[in-house]
Amino acid sequence: MMLYADLVRALEARRGGVSGLVDRLRVRAEDALGRSMPVRETALARGFVLGQDQQIDPVTANDFRNSGLAHLLAVSGQNVVLLCLLGIGMMALLGVGYRTRLVVLAGLILLYVPLAGGGASIQRAGVMGLAGLAALAASRPASRVFVLALAAAVTLLINPRATADVGWQLSFLAVAGIALLARPFRERFAGLLVSAAGPSDRRGPTPRSVLLDGAAVTVAASLVTAPLMAFHFDRIPVATIAANLAALPAVAPAMWLGMTAAALGSLWSGLAIPVNLINSLLLAYIAQVAAWFGRPGWAVADFGIGSVAGLMAVYAALIALVAAALRLSRRLPVEAGERLQSSALRRRRAAAALALVASVAAALVVLPGDGRRGLQAPGGGEVRIDFLDIGQGDATLIRAPGSDPILVDGGPPGGDIGGALDSAGVKRLGAVIATHADLDHVGGLYDVFESLSVDSYLFDGTPRRLLSQARQAGTEPGRIAEGDRIASGALSIEVLWPPLREAGFVTPEDRNERSVVLLLDYRGYRILLTGDAEAESVPLDPGPLDVLRVAHHGSDDAGLPALLDRTGPELSVLSAGSGNPYGHPTPETLDALSEAGSGLLRTDRDGTVSVVLSRAGVSVESGR
C-alpha cells in the first residue's frame, strides 16, 4: 500500500514513560553516531547499530544488497550476540560477578530491542538471547529448537501477521539453517584445511578458527535463504560467501565501536568523536567490499521461483543435496593434528570438497530460471514494442534504432522489471513515462531509477518519493499533457490524454481518469497505450488502430465496445497477473474483444508480447 497525504504536521507533544525514554536515547544515539564521520559512514553506522537504513544513499544500499551484505543493515541476532560479548568483556574488566553479568546483559537486551526499532528480526534475536541467558543462569544447556519456537511464539503474539514479513521469514530460516548446518560445515571445512605441520598448541580464537566459523555460518545461512530470496525477489547475490568473508574482520569491530559510540553519546555526544574516527575507516572498508562484490555484472543471478509448490520442490532438492554431501564427507579427519597421508583419505577429502561445492552450486542451478525469453535488439530499421510480462501491472518497452529505449510504466513492486529489462539488454533509458501514480504502474520504477541511467522522467502525476528519487539519480523530470509529442527515432509518440493541469499532484480519486494515453505511430502503423484510462471515463478517439493496449488490465469498461468499433484494432494486448485476485480480465471485456474480431494476447498466459515493425512488415512474438 502507498499512503498519499496532502499535509503532514509535526505535533509538539512527545511520548512519555518508557517509550519516551527510548525515544530520547535513540535521538542521542543517532546524534552520537553522526559526530565527525562522513555522510555515508554516518548512515552506515546508524544502519549497523540502530537498523536505520533510510539515509543510506541508493548506490551504497544497492551495493550491500547485490553483494549479500544487506543483513548488516538489519539489526538481528548478530547485533545481540556482539552486544553481549561487548558487555561481558567490559564487566569482566570491572570484576562484576557472574550472576550480575547475566542480569545486566538481560537489561541491555531489553533496552536494545526497542532502541533498534523493535522489528521482527530483533524481536526474535532478543527472545533467543534472553532464553539463552536464562539457560546459563539455571546451568542448563539451551535447547535450540525450544528457543527458536519460543521466539516465533513471542513475535507472533506481538504481531500475528509477522509471518507475512519477508524479514521475519528470512531471519528465522537463517537461524534454523545456522543451528542445523553451521557445526557440520565447520567440521568438514576444518578437515579440508588440516595442516601437515602437526597440531597447534595455541588456545583460544585464532585467525584460522575465526575464518572457519565465519565460512560455516555464512554458507549455512546463504544456502537456506537463497531459495526464499529467489521466491520473493527473483534474484540471488552470487558473491555472498566471498563478500562476507572479506568483510568479516571489520564487521564485529565496527559493530562494537558503533555501540560504544552510541553508549558514550548518551552521556555527551562529543565523547563519541574519537571512537567514530576509527570506526569510519572500518565502515568505509566494508562499503568498499560491498562495492567490489556488488557492482560487477555477475554480482547478481536472476532466478525466480513462481509458486509455493516450486519453492517446496527446491528446498526438497536442496535438503537431499546437502544431506548427500555431509554423508559423503562424514569420515573426514577434523582434528588439526591428524595428517592426510593415505591416498584413500586424500580421495575422500577431494570428494568432500567437490560435494560441498556442488551443494552450493546446485542451490543455484536447481532454481528455476526467471522464465524470461531473450528480447532481441531491434535490427536495422526495426522498431520493437515489448509489452512486458511483469505480473499484475503494466510496463511497455519501446526500442527504435538511433534512439535510447523508452519505458512506459514499470509494473508493480516485485514484478521483476529489472529482469525484464535485462532480458532485452537495456542498460540505460532515454525516458521513463508514468501513465499515472498507481502502484501497479509505478512500483517497479523505484528499482529502475536505482539501477539504470535515465535521461528524462515524464508524467502527469507521480508519487513525491518517486519524483525525489528520480531527481537524486540525475534524471530530468517533466510534465506531459495532451498535444505533446515525443520522438524516438522514426517512431513518433503523441500524448492524447490528459489535458494540461495547472498545478498540483494527482489525487487518488482521479488517477485513472487522468491516466496518460499514448499513440505510437511508425510509418502509419498505430498502437494505442491506454494505461488505466477506460473508454467509459475518458474521451478517446484516436482513429484507426492496429494494436490496442486494453485499459486497466481488462477490467469492466462499458465504453470498450464502442472504442473497438471506432478503431478496429487487428490485435489487442492485455496485461494482467496470473491468478490475480481482481478477476482481470473480466468475462465482459473478453466477450467485447471476441465480438469485435480483434486478436488477443495476454501477458498472464502468453508472456511478454513483442510487436516488431520494419519496412518488410509486422511480426508478433510472444512467450516466456
Side-chain angles (χ1 to χ4, degrees):
M1 302 290 289
M2 186 172 286
L3 175 67
Y4 293 86
D6 294 324
L7 176 65
V8 177
R9 182 168 58 90
L11 301 176
E12 295 296 330
R14 296 183 179 182
R15 297 195 297 180
V18 176
S19 298
L21 174 62
V22 171
D23 290 343
R24 291 191 293 274
L25 289 175
R26 185 184 298 114
V27 170
R28 291 179 182 177
E30 291 173 7
D31 183 45
L33 291 171
R35 295 296 301 271
S36 300
M37 279 212 291
V39 174
R40 183 186 65 174
E41 283 68 31
T42 294
L44 288 175
R46 290 170 178 168
F48 277 36
V49 178
L50 302 175
Q52 298 180 357
D53 59 355
Q54 302 92 334
Q55 297 177 350
I56 299 175
D57 66 272
V59 173
T60 301
N62 196 55
D63 290 343
F64 273 76
R65 279 195 297 271
N66 290 348
S67 63
L69 295 175
H71 63 92
L72 298 177
L73 306 177
V75 288
S76 60
Q78 178 176 243
N79 297 68
V80 172
V81 170
L82 292 174
L83 175 66
C84 289
L85 291 175
L86 180 63
I88 288 173
M90 289 186 173
M91 285 186 285
L93 292 175
L94 296 174
V96 178
Y98 177 71
R99 296 279 178 177
T100 305
R101 292 183 200 178
L102 297 181
V103 174
V104 173
L105 290 178
L108 287 175
I109 292 174
L110 289 172
L111 175 63
Y112 186 63
V113 169
L115 190 66
S121 296
I122 193 64
Q123 288 175 9
R124 187 267 310 157
V127 172
M128 295 184 70
L130 291 173
L133 292 176
L136 289 174
S139 299
R140 298 179 58 182
S143 167
R144 289 174 294 181
V145 174
F146 172 77
V147 170
L148 197 59
L150 178 64
V154 171
T155 55
L156 292 178
L157 183 64
I158 296 172
N159 177 15
R161 290 187 171 185
T163 54
D165 181 358
V166 177
W168 187 93
Q169 298 171 17
L170 288 170
S171 176
F172 275 89
L173 195 60
V175 171
I178 291 170
L180 292 172
L181 297 176
R183 180 177 296 177
F185 278 2
R186 190 196 189 284
E187 292 174 351
R188 271 59 173 189
F189 294 160
L192 294 175
L193 296 178
V194 167
S195 171
S200 173
D201 294 328
R202 186 174 178 181
R203 296 182 180 181
T206 65
R208 178 179 177 276
S209 66
V210 171
L211 176 63
L212 288 173
D213 289 336
V217 169
T218 301
V219 172
S222 300
L223 270 179
V224 299
T225 57
L228 189 62
M229 292 183 66
F231 177 73
H232 284 296
F233 307 116
D234 297 318
R235 58 193 324 198
I236 300 174
V238 172
T240 295
I241 297 172
N244 277 273
L245 291 178
L248 181 63
V251 170
M255 291 282 192
W256 283 328
L257 290 173
M259 292 173 179
T260 302
L264 293 174
S266 65
L267 303 175
W268 176 51
S269 62
L271 295 175
I273 291 177
V275 180
N276 286 341
L277 290 175
I278 300 173
N279 200 18
S280 63
L281 301 176
L282 297 174
L283 294 170
Y285 169 72
I286 296 172
Q288 186 59 57
V289 171
W292 284 335
F293 292 97
R295 293 186 184 178
W298 47 261
V300 176
D302 291 320
F303 292 112
I305 301 177
S307 66
V308 174
L311 181 63
M312 294 300 102
V314 169
Y315 270 117
L318 184 60
I319 291 170
L321 285 165
V322 172
L326 294 177
R327 182 177 177 81
L328 179 63
S329 59
R330 70 187 184 280
R331 292 183 180 178
L332 269 179
V334 298
E335 296 297 330
E338 294 185 64
R339 300 168 182 245
L340 298 175
Q341 296 178 345
S342 70
S343 59
L345 285 177
R346 292 193 186 97
R347 285 196 299 270
R348 281 203 294 271
R349 186 173 83 166
L354 290 174
L356 287 170
V357 171
S359 295
V360 179
L364 302 178
V365 173
V366 301
L367 294 174
D370 61 5
R372 295 201 177 277
R373 63 184 174 92
L375 302 179
Q376 296 180 1
E382 282 187 349
V383 171
R384 293 184 68 96
I385 314 296
D386 300 300
F387 302 95
L388 302 174
D389 175 20
I390 40 74
Q392 182 65 18
D394 273 6
T396 305
L397 179 63
I398 302 169
R399 293 179 290 166
S403 179
D404 287 327
I406 295 174
L407 178 67
V408 181
D409 288 334
D416 191 28
I417 184 63
L421 295 176
D422 284 344
S423 69
V426 172
K427 303 300 181 185
R428 62 173 288 116
L429 292 167
V432 166
I433 302 174
T435 59
H436 61 302
D438 278 356
L439 204 57
D440 58 341
H441 289 251
V442 301
L445 293 182
Y446 293 93
D447 292 334
V448 171
F449 287 121
E450 183 177 285
S451 57
L452 272 72
S453 173
V454 182
D455 292 339
S456 303
Y457 177 41
L458 307 175
F459 54 87
D460 170 69
T462 180
R464 288 176 173 86
R465 179 184 162 207
L466 183 59
L467 178 59
S468 175
Q469 182 174 341
R471 283 173 170 156
Q472 291 177 5
T475 300
E476 182 69 27
R479 291 189 179 277
I480 54 175
E482 180 181 359
D484 288 338
R485 291 181 178 273
I486 304 164
S488 179
L491 175 76
S492 70
I493 303 173
E494 181 182 359
V495 181
L496 300 185
W497 184 263
L500 180 68
R501 64 166 58 242
E502 293 184 0
F505 286 80
V506 180
T507 64
E509 291 75 20
D510 65 355
R511 283 203 295 266
N512 287 354
E513 286 77 5
R514 290 193 63 87
S515 180
V516 173
V517 178
L518 302 173
L519 179 63
L520 280 55
D521 191 310
Y522 178 72
R523 303 183 187 278
Y525 193 89
R526 295 156 57 87
I527 301 173
L528 187 69
L529 306 182
T530 54
D532 278 359
E534 297 171 348
E536 65 181 3
S537 304
V538 174
L540 296 178
D541 191 14
L545 295 174
D546 295 284
V547 178
L548 170 67
R549 177 66 171 266
V550 180
H552 205 178
H553 322 294
S555 65
D556 283 339
D557 181 1
L560 179 60
L563 177 64
L564 292 170
D565 287 341
R566 294 195 302 271
T567 58
E570 182 179 356
L571 173 66
S572 294
V573 179
L574 193 152
S575 179
S578 179
N580 69 83
Y582 310 104
H584 294 160
T586 64
E588 293 77 8
T589 293
L590 295 177
D591 289 343
L593 293 170
S594 177
E595 291 175 5
S598 178
L600 176 63
L601 289 175
R602 300 165 45 174
T603 59
D604 58 339
R605 294 184 178 179
D606 303 301
T608 293
V609 177
S610 303
V611 178
V612 185
L613 311 174
S614 67
R615 290 186 176 89
V618 180
S619 62
V620 178
E621 304 168 358
S622 65
R624 293 187 165 86

